[in-house]
Amino acid sequence: MPELEDSTTKTKAEFDPNILQDLLPLYYKRLFPHKQFYRWMSYGRSESSVFSNREFSFTLQNDVYIRFQSFETQQELEREICSKVPVKIDIGAVYNIRPKDHRGSVSMQPVQRELVFDIDMTDYDDIRTCCNEANVCQLCWKFMSIACRVLDEALREDFGFEHLLWVFSGRRGIHCWVSDKSARHLDTAARSAIAQYLNVLISGGEGTTSRVIIHDEMHHSVKRAYRIVAPLFEEICLVDQNIFGTPEGVKKLLAQVQDQTMRAELEKRFKAGPSDSKNVWQEFVAYFEELRTSGNINRYRRYKFIVEEVTLAFTYPRLDINVTKGFNHLLKSPFCVHPKTGKVCIPFNPNIASKFDPTDVPTITDLLKEVNAFDEKNTVEGEENRSKIKDYKKTSMFKGTVIFEEFLRKLEQTFKGKAAALSDMKMEF
């Protein structure tokens, strides 16, 4: 293993992207969970050609992009990964033919694919004040934590899905892979319908914040989302981000109200008091409460749920619905290394997403140092003992791998015995 600078301080050193290509061969050989990855992609061989007809794409050094790769066995895929050392691995759909045989075929069609969701922190740039663009911290991660909880509950309770893998994207977002058989076999129309169902935000146009419109009654899914986000709205939006603490922020709040007269009245109230977010929000809530008790039913009717609408507009998950709609959309594989940050795309537990710290995710440099440190510490016990411990268990990547293993264990229980049955069906006499 190459020399890696020692680091005894808690502060993580800045990752140098220039050394990634030197470290990736070691990472793929010693740390990438090839066996578990194959277990996921093969689904226990419970369906014919589910692994061999899967598309994988590799991005190599200097942006060389190789699509329509497919493999027959775990060993073949592992050998190719270790040989080509991709900077990124993307996972595509399972097709009706082997993707590597697509040339000259006019009938290649996707037949199954996990239902996937992609949430990117840059889509929150109009409301977060702590960071912007590719940067992320523990404060704005709270938006991701909320998104994870809202989506996880909706997918489980409204659609009955059980096998959801949540993965940190390595830089500024999260991915969700719904791997239930019923989800994998959804057609494009069904994927689009689910995406639209979960996307309650209405774009307000460039320079404005998205809106939520609730009509006569709150849909049970929206009601559940509100129950999740409401207790956190003050902490995240008013304190951490202080969204309404600037004239620009106040404009975004006023834009939620379509009535020009009401906007003017609200603006007047805001100017009369302190300009911090908490006060602005209190005045906003008080204004509509006074309107409710005034007896002016016609004027109030449209704004019956305005507090809930605004709360959701600033906290509800901002989905890239095109990723979810697309049957053959490629998405970055778990356990890839992000080429800019060096961080590993590790799975995390959605139930404790709020405790996940994106700034503390190990880089490939950290992981290889941890392996070196473990081996040096245990050298006295002899090579034989050291070799029995898998390298990923020597690192801070272990927790993410355990989460992946638990996801696989539950998934594999659903198709126990089906591989043997499929093998019997194929048997020729």
Side-chain angles (χ1 to χ4, degrees), residues 151-219:
L151 280 181
D152 196 78
E153 288 198 24
L155 289 165
R156 292 179 190 278
E157 294 181 20
D158 295 349
F159 298 98
F161 298 134
E162 298 178 22
H163 305 288
L164 281 61
L165 179 67
W166 288 94
V167 183
F168 172 58
S169 70
R171 193 176 198 180
R172 59 178 184 235
I174 55 179
H175 298 154
C176 177
W177 300 77
V178 186
S179 301
D180 300 58
K181 184 175 180 179
S182 58
R184 288 185 278 124
H185 286 271
L186 291 169
D187 61 18
T188 304
R191 289 165 194 269
S192 183
I194 291 174
Q196 295 293 355
Y197 174 88
L198 294 169
N199 188 43
V200 305
L201 294 173
I202 299 167
S203 175
E206 197 169 336
T208 61
T209 304
S210 298
R211 295 168 57 222
V212 172
I213 296 177
I214 301 169
H215 297 288
D216 295 334
E217 293 294 331
M218 284 180 79
H219 187 274

Side-chain angles (χ1 to χ4, degrees), residues 117-128 143-144 146-148 150-151 174 198-202 208-212 237 243 252 256 310-321:
F117 295 88
D118 181 9
I119 308 173
D120 196 305
M121 190 58 84
T122 53
D123 291 327
Y124 291 79
D125 279 355
D126 63 318
I127 56 173
R128 61 174 179 155
F143 287 117
M144 293 282 111
I146 280 180
C148 182
V150 169
L151 280 181
I174 55 179
L198 294 169
N199 188 43
V200 305
L201 294 173
I202 299 167
T208 61
T209 304
S210 298
R211 295 168 57 222
V212 172
C237 296
I243 295 173
K252 287 170 184 172
Q256 300 287 322
V310 174
T311 301
L312 287 163
F314 284 90
T315 54
Y316 192 85
R318 299 179 170 213
L319 302 173
D320 184 343
I321 61 170

Side-chain angles (χ1 to χ4, degrees), residues 252-400:
K252 287 170 184 172
L253 178 58
L254 290 171
Q256 300 287 322
V257 180
Q258 301 303 295
D259 187 293
Q260 295 290 345
T261 305
M262 287 184 174
R263 280 194 201 180
E265 290 170 358
L266 280 164
E267 196 166 11
K268 190 176 178 182
R269 288 179 74 134
F270 295 159
K271 286 178 179 176
S275 58
D276 63 284
S277 283
K278 272 191 177 182
N279 182 72
V280 169
W281 181 245
Q282 285 168 4
E283 288 295 332
F284 185 87
V285 173
Y287 174 84
F288 286 101
E289 178 58 22
E290 290 166 17
L291 185 64
R292 184 184 71 81
T293 57
S294 69
N296 191 338
I297 301 298
N298 289 334
R299 196 174 185 218
Y300 174 71
R301 185 180 289 119
R302 164 62 192 90
Y303 295 97
K304 178 182 175 183
F305 293 110
I306 187 66
V307 171
E308 291 87 348
E309 288 174 353
V310 174
T311 301
L312 287 163
F314 284 90
T315 54
Y316 192 85
R318 299 179 170 213
L319 302 173
D320 184 343
I321 61 170
N322 290 324
V323 171
T324 305
K325 286 178 178 181
F327 205 155
N328 55 353
H329 189 95
L330 291 157
L331 192 64
K332 182 165 55 179
S333 167
F335 297 101
C336 277
V337 177
H338 194 287
K340 296 281 175 60
T341 66
K343 292 180 179 180
V344 177
C345 304
I346 54 170
F348 64 90
N349 185 343
N351 298 320
I352 50 172
S354 60
K355 294 182 180 178
F356 183 86
D357 182 358
T359 65
D360 198 40
V361 172
T363 66
I364 185 173
T365 314
D366 298 327
L367 296 172
L368 293 172
K369 282 179 187 174
E370 288 166 4
V371 173
N372 273 345
F374 184 95
D375 286 349
E376 286 172 13
K377 186 178 177 182
N378 292 276
T379 299
V380 290
E381 296 177 18
E383 290 291 326
E384 192 176 336
N385 287 341
R386 286 169 50 200
S387 65
K388 290 178 182 176
I389 302 172
K390 294 187 184 300
D391 284 328
Y392 70 81
K393 291 185 177 180
K394 305 171 185 176
T395 73
S396 49
M397 192 174 94
F398 181 43
K399 191 183 291 184

Side-chain angles (χ1 to χ4, degrees), residues 16-34:
D16 179 7
N18 295 316
I19 65 170
L20 179 63
Q21 212 60 37
D22 296 327
L23 302 182
L24 276 174
L26 282 167
Y27 174 77
Y28 284 130
K29 184 179 179 183
R30 300 190 64 174
L31 292 171
F32 188 88
H34 294 282

